[in-house]
Amino acid sequence: MENTLKPMDAEQLREYGHKMVDFIADYYKSIESFPVLSQVKPGYLKELLPDSAPNHPESLQDVFEDIRQKIIPGITHWQSPEYFAYYPSNSSTAGFLGEMLSAGFNIVGFSWVTSPAATELEVIVLDWLAKMLKLPDQFFSAGQGGGVIQGTASEAVLVVLLAARDKILRKVGKKSLEKLVVYASDQTHSALQKACQIAGIVQDNFRVLKADRNSNYSLCPEVALEAISNDLSAGLIPFFLCATVGTTSSAAVDPLSELGKLSKAYGMWFHVDAAYAGSACICPEYRHYIDGVEEADSFGMNAHKWFLTNFDCSLLWVKDQRPLVQSLSTNPEFLKNKASQENAVVDFKDWQIPLGRRFRSLKLWMVLRLYGLENLQSYIRNHINLAEQFEQLIKTDSRFEVLSGNFVLRFAVGAPLTEEKHIKEAWKVLQDHATTLLRSI
Amino acid sequence: MENTLKPMDAEQLREYGHKMVDFIADYYKSIESFPVLSQVKPGYLKELLPDSAPNHPESLQDVFEDIRQKIIPGITHWQSPEYFAYYPSNSSTAGFLGEMLSAGFNIVGFSWVTSPAATELEVIVLDWLAKMLKLPDQFFSAGQGGGVIQGTASEAVLVVLLAARDKILRKVGKKSLEKLVVYASDQTHSALQKACQIAGIVQDNFRVLKADRNSNYSLCPEVALEAISNDLSAGLIPFFLCATVGTTSSAAVDPLSELGKLSKAYGMWFHVDAAYAGSACICPEYRHYIDGVEEADSFGMNAHKWFLTNFDCSLLWVKDQRPLVQSLSTNPEFLKNKASQENAVVDFKDWQIPLGRRFRSLKLWMVLRLYGLENLQSYIRNHINLAEQFEQLIKTDSRFEVLSGNFVLRFAVGAPLTEEKHIKEAWKVLQDHATTLLRSI
């Protein structure tokens, strides 16, 4: 039987790869010509594509043509300099190169032996980041702790919740699952609620504590303490508290030190979610936002948000990896190997939900090497500066007020291409809308 | 404040991107010159890299040099034609281009509105695949069912286990979690055990049913029925049965039709995991291996194993998406949008563990378009042919016996570059080892 397909011919990869590089570079050159938010209607693509895969190969030219005419209109351009929604999702040349190389090697790094470089580079680069963030020693790989790359902050909070759940259940008995209680402010990301659903935490035992304007939307330790005391009186078992540095709606910062001490006093796992704002803490003048992180059992920051590393790259550090591994390890015959059995290596399969994992540390490593710490700091500072300029613009117009919470216009500066002119254009759009709105009432 | 860093300059991306394409194409040209299994010792990389990220940018040339000298020695070359371990993890030019484009757009497609093309292309391409596999109508997107791309089969089995868990608990009450029982053969992938741990299924309620040589390592319906009956007598609640088409150790195939009918009779969720072997079912002559899939509630196949789509791309179909969404949806204020609230669209965030998701359908779409169904079929047939040639080689040497189970040499043909000569070389290695071994006893 003859096999005509050469799916991994090096010269075809070279030829097509160069064409794709040009296509993507041209996309970035023209990115400002597209409406940031896709304008298509639900179901638009079904009308444009056939209802079966082709029997015979089609040309790369045809595929490019379809991407231009059918796919790009359905893209919401997260990398546009005029994108200010949700949170930044940074792409960069270095991050892009790292993704390319990872796809090129296409290894599946579940155990050390499946590609030692993948595990070891991840350990090293997470130590580098821990150093840049001045995390406490216990979060470094030298002892029982260390860092790992998860896909998203949702997975990061899920794995530590599972570790904490099983740790407390080993102590109080598995029958007590229904007594376990989780605490967080009402500004906390919905990922925690989802993690509780997955882990089987009773819905009524997820304490969503009120955080309001009086505390700048941060969680008051007194409020947490009161809830914990009430639960203990009711025979429940407080076991997990999640604090946030830079909440999704209003970038509020919970008081880590006090909440951490409270958690420790009651034997609870203390997780700090700095997914969005954590990147800023590589600048000495913003590092104070994570003061108190020394009380945390686990700490997360998304390099794919505001750190120029292409999605997905969610960084998680733990002080003690053992509870993670106790919750998430399996050890079937087909995965056994000498290095793992001698406990000489880390097998990251036991620190995460999936078995398989991509070589994601490459992109973070390339960002750090091709840009360097000082450039990354000035990148962060520049965005904060642009956000401040936007705040100044608002203050010049008495129809607007700068606040957080209630009904607000949330404006997130952080796209790699954003410059002063994009801030000004966005402000013009808002002013025009305000004028129209006020005219109509 | 001045920002000197231009992290997403189109011309730098173009220049560096071209260099990376050449680097990767050259890697594939020289891939046979590397030992397939990395020869480094634990901790090798720490000796070679500095203990901090650089303060100032380094050159791309320096990074390439480090990749050559420090990273590549630590790679186990999954794409080598002489790689026969675990299972195939196919890279291809088309899959690679799809990864590049996904990294280029760098969108985060959790809801339809965040890039309609990402959700809609995924729905369409999964329908294409469902058609190629001749899945029953209920697995198509036209009704209550449809397909979704998960990262790995571990995540696929976890999300359906959670859907099934919550579905039965809505019926019997949440207090009954500790009575829920899961069934699978002892050949089932360890991902199911891990999913049970995560979902809070009591460890003693995971029935690992014996499958032995007499049934070619497939799960006997009689064995399952007996276990179910015993559990019912003991007051427990059978709720989930997982069958496998192509088990990890011996490529055994469970009898789907009988196990599916049994599951239905007892009101259990029936999941079919065809992660590895499912790809072969696009060939009419192998389609019979998934006969009985019409009884399944959910069906999974990994396009990243043996379907030329770069890791990660695990395909999952369900007949009814509602239990998934009921288990996995959250609906915070910051994610609300018109299209979602009008139920006009699918939001895949509610079909998976994480919130964020990459534009993974691009790579599968490009594989299907650039290769076409007929080429993909002959690709599969060629590998099966090579495996048969290997079987013939074994039969010429009386010191070896072809069997599955017990202590075996597992030989997985499926790397994109594998040709007849690589099969023969591998056979020579095995024969030489056998000669040495037999001489020593």
Side-chain angles (χ1 to χ4, degrees), chain B residues 223-394:
Chain B
V223 174
L225 175 61
E226 192 189 342
I228 293 168
S229 304
N230 288 343
D231 288 327
L232 284 170
S233 305
L236 296 173
I237 306 171
F239 87 106
F240 192 88
L241 194 154
C242 177
T244 308
V245 176
T247 59
T248 312
S249 337
S250 57
V253 177
D254 290 331
L256 301 192
S257 187
E258 291 163 274
L259 292 172
K261 290 193 173 100
L262 187 64
S263 301
K264 200 167 275 176
Y266 288 93
M268 298 163 70
W269 187 291
F270 183 47
H271 177 64
V272 175
D273 174 5
Y276 179 6
S279 301
C281 300
I282 63 163
C283 301
E285 69 272 31
Y286 302 120
R287 170 58 177 75
H288 67 90
Y289 286 116
I290 55 166
D291 280 357
V293 67
E294 56 277 9
E295 308 292 342
D297 295 288
S298 48
F299 174 80
M301 172 206 131
N302 285 354
H304 62 242
K305 282 199 164 70
W306 195 19
F307 205 73
L308 293 170
T309 312
N310 289 45
F311 185 80
D312 51 352
C313 192
S314 177
L315 314 182
L316 172 69
W317 288 268
V318 292
K319 277 188 183 161
D320 186 351
Q321 43 79 26
R322 290 169 297 185
L324 263 191
V325 174
Q326 282 176 291
S327 279
L328 297 170
S329 76
T330 53
N331 195 20
E333 188 62 33
F334 65 90
L335 295 179
K336 285 181 181 159
N337 65 85
K338 194 159 164 278
S340 298
Q341 286 175 289
E342 287 174 352
N343 282 318
V345 294
V346 170
D347 289 327
F348 276 134
K349 72 181 176 63
D350 298 335
W351 297 44
Q352 65 174 18
I353 302 295
L355 173 60
R357 58 203 321 271
R358 297 183 304 130
F359 197 163
R360 285 185 289 222
S361 54
L362 280 175
K363 56 187 170 184
L364 184 55
W365 182 59
M366 293 187 82
V367 164
L368 293 169
R369 292 197 61 184
L370 291 179
Y371 301 140
L373 174 59
E374 288 184 13
N375 269 324
L376 290 164
Q377 288 171 331
S378 67
Y379 175 74
I380 296 279
R381 286 172 182 139
N382 182 53
H383 277 143
I384 292 174
N385 183 35
L386 288 172
E388 284 166 354
Q389 285 187 42
F390 188 75
E391 188 177 354
Q392 289 307 316
L393 290 172
I394 296 170

Side-chain angles (χ1 to χ4, degrees), chain A residues 7 14 18 26 28 43 52 58 66 74 76 93 104 115 117 120 131 165 194 197-198 327 349 352 369 373, chain B residues 7 14 18 26 28 43 52 54 58 66 74 76 93 104 115 117 120 131 165 194 197-198 327 349 352 369:
Chain A
R14 193 189 307 274
H18 284 309
D26 291 344
Y28 278 95
S52 303
E58 298 181 274
D66 274 2
T76 291
T93 297
S115 267
E120 297 202 9
K131 207 177 214 180
R165 177 196 72 179
K194 187 159 175 170
Q197 289 168 204
I198 292 167
S327 279
K349 71 181 176 62
Q352 64 174 18
R369 293 198 60 185
L373 174 59
Chain B
R14 193 189 308 274
H18 284 309
D26 291 343
Y28 278 95
S52 304
E58 298 182 273
D66 273 1
T76 291
T93 297
S115 267
E120 297 202 8
K131 207 177 215 178
R165 177 196 72 179
K194 186 159 176 170
Q197 288 169 205
I198 293 167
S327 279
K349 72 181 176 63
Q352 65 174 18
R369 292 197 61 184

Side-chain angles (χ1 to χ4, degrees), chain A residues 1 3-5 7-8 10-11 14 16 18 20-22 24-26 28-29 40 42-45 50-58 66-67 71 74-76 78-79 86 89-93 96-97 100-101 103-104 106-108 112-117 120-121 128 131 152 154-155 165 174-175 177-178 189-190 194 197-198 203 308 310-311 327-328 332 334 349 352-359 368-375 381-382 417, chain B residues 1 3-5 7-8 10-11 14 16 18 21-22 24-26 28-29 40 42-45 50-58 66-67 71 74-76 78-79 86 89-93 96-97 100-101 103-108 112-117 120-121 128 131 152 154-155 165 174-175 177-178 189-190 194 197-198 203 308 310-311 327-328 332 334 349 352-356 358-359 368-375 381-382 417:
Chain A
M1 197 176 303
N3 182 28
T4 51
L5 182 67
M8 193 28 103
E11 292 313 318
R14 193 189 307 274
Y16 285 17
H18 284 309
M20 184 57 88
V21 166
D22 284 329
I24 293 168
D26 291 344
Y28 278 95
K29 282 191 93 151
V40 301
Y44 89 101
L45 194 57
D51 62 2
S52 303
N55 278 321
H56 302 287
E58 298 181 274
D66 274 2
I67 295 168
I71 300 296
I75 298 278
T76 291
W78 286 64
Q79 302 311 316
Y86 301 113
S89 167
N90 286 185
S91 180
S92 69
T93 297
F96 175 73
L97 295 176
M100 279 177 76
L101 189 57
N106 203 41
I107 60 100
V108 187
W112 178 87
V113 71
T114 67
S115 267
E120 297 202 9
L121 187 64
W128 286 6
K131 207 177 214 180
T152 61
S154 307
E155 289 155 270
R165 177 196 72 179
K174 293 192 174 179
K175 300 262 178 193
L177 176 60
E178 61 193 43
H189 195 281
S190 56
K194 187 159 175 170
Q197 289 168 204
I198 292 167
Q203 204 176 331
L308 292 170
N310 288 44
F311 185 80
S327 279
L328 298 171
F334 64 91
K349 71 181 176 62
Q352 64 174 18
I353 302 297
L355 173 61
R357 59 203 322 271
R358 297 184 304 130
F359 198 164
L368 293 169
R369 293 198 60 185
L370 291 178
Y371 301 140
L373 174 59
E374 287 184 14
N375 269 325
R381 286 172 182 139
N382 182 53
L417 292 167
Chain B
M1 200 177 303
N3 182 27
T4 52
L5 182 68
M8 195 28 106
E11 293 312 320
R14 193 189 308 274
Y16 284 18
H18 284 309
V21 166
D22 284 328
I24 293 169
D26 291 343
Y28 278 95
K29 282 191 94 150
V40 300
Y44 89 101
L45 194 55
D51 62 1
S52 304
N55 279 319
H56 301 287
E58 298 182 273
D66 273 1
I67 294 168
I71 301 297
I75 298 278
T76 291
W78 286 64
Q79 303 311 315
Y86 301 112
S89 167
N90 284 185
S91 180
S92 69
T93 297
F96 175 73
L97 295 175
M100 278 177 74
L101 188 57
F105 288 138
N106 203 40
I107 60 101
V108 187
W112 178 87
V113 72
T114 66
S115 267
E120 297 202 8
L121 187 64
W128 286 6
K131 207 177 215 178
T152 61
S154 307
E155 289 155 270
R165 177 196 72 179
K174 293 192 175 179
K175 301 262 179 193
L177 176 60
E178 61 193 44
H189 194 281
S190 55
K194 186 159 176 170
Q197 288 169 205
I198 293 167
Q203 204 177 330
L308 293 170
N310 289 45
F311 185 80
S327 279
L328 297 170
F334 65 90
K349 72 181 176 63
Q352 65 174 18
I353 302 295
L355 173 60
R358 297 183 304 130
F359 197 163
L368 293 169
R369 292 197 61 184
L370 291 179
Y371 301 140
L373 174 59
E374 288 184 13
N375 269 324
R381 286 172 182 139
N382 182 53
L417 292 168

Side-chain angles (χ1 to χ4, degrees), chain A residues 18-37:
Chain A
H18 284 309
K19 286 181 179 161
M20 184 57 88
V21 166
D22 284 329
F23 185 89
I24 293 168
D26 291 344
Y27 167 70
Y28 278 95
K29 282 191 93 151
S30 62
I31 197 166
E32 292 189 55
S33 67
F34 305 112
V36 179
L37 180 69

Side-chain angles (χ1 to χ4, degrees), chain A residues 36-324:
Chain A
V36 179
L37 180 69
S38 169
Q39 303 294 308
V40 301
K41 295 278 168 287
Y44 89 101
L45 194 57
K46 208 175 162 58
E47 312 293 317
L48 301 176
L49 293 187
D51 62 2
S52 303
N55 278 321
H56 302 287
E58 298 181 274
S59 73
L60 184 59
Q61 203 44 50
D62 285 349
V63 173
F64 276 137
E65 210 42 49
D66 274 2
I67 295 168
R68 276 189 208 97
Q69 294 181 10
K70 300 170 186 172
I71 300 296
I72 287 185
I75 298 278
T76 291
H77 302 276
W78 286 64
Q79 302 311 316
S80 167
E82 304 190 290
Y83 182 91
F84 301 106
Y86 301 113
Y87 44 74
S89 167
N90 286 185
S91 180
S92 69
T93 297
F96 175 73
L97 295 176
E99 279 286 5
M100 279 177 76
L101 189 57
S102 167
F105 287 137
N106 203 41
I107 60 100
V108 187
F110 44 81
S111 303
W112 178 87
V113 71
T114 67
S115 267
T119 298
E120 297 202 9
L121 187 64
E122 189 162 328
V123 169
I124 292 167
V125 174
L126 273 278
D127 276 350
W128 286 6
L129 248 297
K131 207 177 214 180
M132 288 164 72
L133 291 165
K134 298 192 179 21
L135 295 185
D137 287 347
Q138 299 108 301
F139 284 117
F140 286 73
S141 67
Q144 286 298 340
V148 61
I149 301 178
Q150 305 278 332
T152 61
S154 307
E155 289 155 270
V157 75
L158 174 59
V159 297
V160 295
L161 185 76
L162 293 168
R165 177 196 72 179
D166 294 347
K167 188 179 172 187
I168 186 84
L169 289 181
R170 280 192 294 275
K171 207 167 118 190
V172 300
K174 293 192 174 179
K175 300 262 178 193
S176 296
L177 176 60
E178 61 193 43
K179 292 185 186 163
L180 301 185
V181 190
V182 171
Y183 304 83
S185 92
D186 58 6
Q187 302 298 303
T188 307
H189 195 281
S190 56
L192 180 60
Q193 183 202 329
K194 187 159 175 170
C196 289
Q197 289 168 204
I198 292 167
I201 304 301
V202 176
Q203 204 176 331
D204 289 344
N205 290 353
F206 177 35
R207 299 276 166 272
V208 180
L209 304 170
K210 185 96 191 123
D212 60 25
R213 216 172 162 170
N214 298 324
S215 63
N216 256 328
Y217 295 95
S218 76
L219 175 58
C220 290
E222 298 74 28
V223 173
L225 175 59
E226 193 188 341
I228 292 167
S229 304
N230 289 343
D231 288 327
L232 284 171
S233 306
L236 297 173
I237 305 171
F239 86 107
F240 192 88
L241 193 153
C242 177
T244 308
V245 176
T247 60
T248 312
S249 337
S250 57
V253 177
D254 291 332
L256 302 192
S257 187
E258 290 163 276
L259 292 172
K261 291 196 172 96
L262 187 63
S263 301
K264 200 166 276 176
Y266 287 93
M268 300 164 68
W269 187 291
F270 182 47
H271 177 64
V272 175
D273 175 5
Y276 180 4
S279 301
C281 300
I282 63 163
C283 302
E285 68 273 32
Y286 301 120
R287 170 59 178 75
H288 68 90
Y289 285 116
I290 54 167
D291 281 357
V293 67
E294 56 277 10
E295 309 292 341
D297 295 288
S298 48
F299 173 79
M301 173 207 132
N302 284 354
H304 62 241
K305 282 198 163 72
W306 195 18
F307 205 72
L308 292 170
T309 312
N310 288 44
F311 185 80
D312 50 353
C313 193
S314 178
L315 315 181
L316 172 68
W317 288 268
V318 292
K319 277 188 184 163
D320 186 352
Q321 42 82 24
R322 289 169 299 184
L324 262 191

